[in-house]
């Protein structure tokens, strides 16, 4: 198999789609693409989705990742969960991991919501006892692992997060 990291398709111009040659520099995060046997052939009865996922013989996985200096592949997040705020690509998993460092946080989900000024703003949904937005924001502000532009601008303390039957958080329901 061959593996490449290319510009995230979430940011592509419809008139200039991302191709397998649009690789990012080593260490930069982008979309993971694969080529070689075995690889999926097509989506069942979804030719448009197949055409979007398979380009020039490469499978665009929808996963974000990067190669480190030793050529190890690291998975970061899903491309469709990426938040674009002020021209910066922000991956929710990074923010969720910082929130989980707070002892009061039981569960967290981070999404992007439309924002007139920045394109999207970061919003966190959190489950935990004794939490409030001010405390969580102070926690994120004081965390050296989280750049300020990635910090949630809105916090919702909730009793539960929407899940599918297999238990995965349904972020699209939070966006709605």
């Amino acid at each position: 198999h061959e593996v490449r990291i290319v510009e995230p398709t979430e940011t592509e111009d419809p008139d200039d789609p991302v191709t397998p040659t649009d690789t990012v520099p080593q260490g930069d995060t982008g979309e993971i693409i694969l080529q070689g046997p075995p690889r999926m052939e097509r989506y069942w009865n979804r030719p448009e989705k197949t055409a979007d996922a398979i380009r020039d013989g490469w499978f665009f996985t929808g996963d974000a990742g990067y190669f480190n200096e030793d050529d190890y592949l690291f998975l970061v997040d899903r491309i469709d969960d990426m938040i674009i705020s002020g021209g910066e690509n922000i991956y929710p998993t990074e923010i969720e991991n910082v929130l989980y460092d707070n002892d009061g946080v039981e569960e967290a989900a981070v999404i992007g919501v439309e924002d007139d000024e920045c394109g999207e703003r970061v919003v966190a949904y959190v489950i935990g006892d004794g939490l409030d937005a001010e405390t969580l924001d102070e926690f994120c502000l004081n965390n050296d692992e989280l750049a300020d532009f990635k910090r949630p601008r809105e916090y919702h303390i909730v009793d539960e997060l929407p899940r599918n039957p297999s238990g995965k958080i349904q972020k699209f329901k939070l966006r709605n």
Side-chain angles (χ1 to χ4, degrees):
H1 284 82
E2 287 185 66
V3 179
R4 292 183 184 169
I5 309 294
V6 297
E7 293 292 329
T9 51
E10 195 75 13
T11 63
E12 73 185 349
D13 178 348
D15 296 326
D16 185 22
V18 175
T19 70
T21 60
D22 294 324
T23 57
V24 299
Q26 189 164 2
D28 284 5
T29 300
E31 183 165 359
I32 300 168
I33 64 172
L34 309 168
Q35 181 183 53
R39 147 179 87 62
M40 65 91 83
E41 264 185 54
R42 66 184 175 280
Y43 286 100
W44 180 256
N45 291 329
R46 298 180 72 187
E48 300 84 20
K49 189 158 175 71
T50 300
D52 189 47
I54 299 177
R55 303 178 190 185
D56 299 325
W58 288 81
F59 174 53
F60 285 67
T61 65
D63 292 317
Y66 66 92
F67 285 114
N68 74 358
E69 62 278 352
D70 296 321
D71 285 329
Y72 285 99
L73 176 65
F74 288 81
L75 295 174
V76 175
D77 215 325
R78 292 286 300 159
I79 291 294
D80 56 1
D81 285 341
M82 182 176 66
I83 301 164
I84 303 172
S85 182
E88 297 283 348
N89 296 345
I90 301 170
Y91 295 96
T93 299
E94 179 183 3
I95 302 162
E96 291 164 359
N97 288 339
V98 167
L99 289 167
Y100 280 122
D101 285 342
N102 183 307
D103 292 335
V105 173
E106 294 172 28
E107 292 189 85
V110 173
I111 62 167
V113 297
E114 193 173 319
D115 184 84
D116 292 336
E117 186 178 325
C118 297
E120 289 183 292
R121 75 178 172 282
V122 178
V123 176
Y125 288 83
V126 180
I127 297 173
D129 289 331
L131 295 175
D132 61 64
E134 187 177 313
T135 304
L136 286 172
D137 196 46
E138 185 175 324
F139 179 81
C140 288
L141 272 169
N142 293 322
N143 191 298
D144 293 336
E145 295 178 31
L146 191 64
D148 187 57
F149 71 90
K150 297 179 181 179
R151 181 174 52 86
R153 298 307 192 238
E154 212 175 292
Y155 298 86
H156 298 276
I157 312 303
V158 296
D159 293 328
E160 63 181 23
L161 296 169
R163 296 183 181 279
N164 68 13
S166 67
K168 183 177 178 186
I169 295 171
Q170 296 177 309
K171 290 188 176 185
F172 71 92
K173 288 189 176 180
L174 294 174
R175 287 185 198 98
N176 293 339

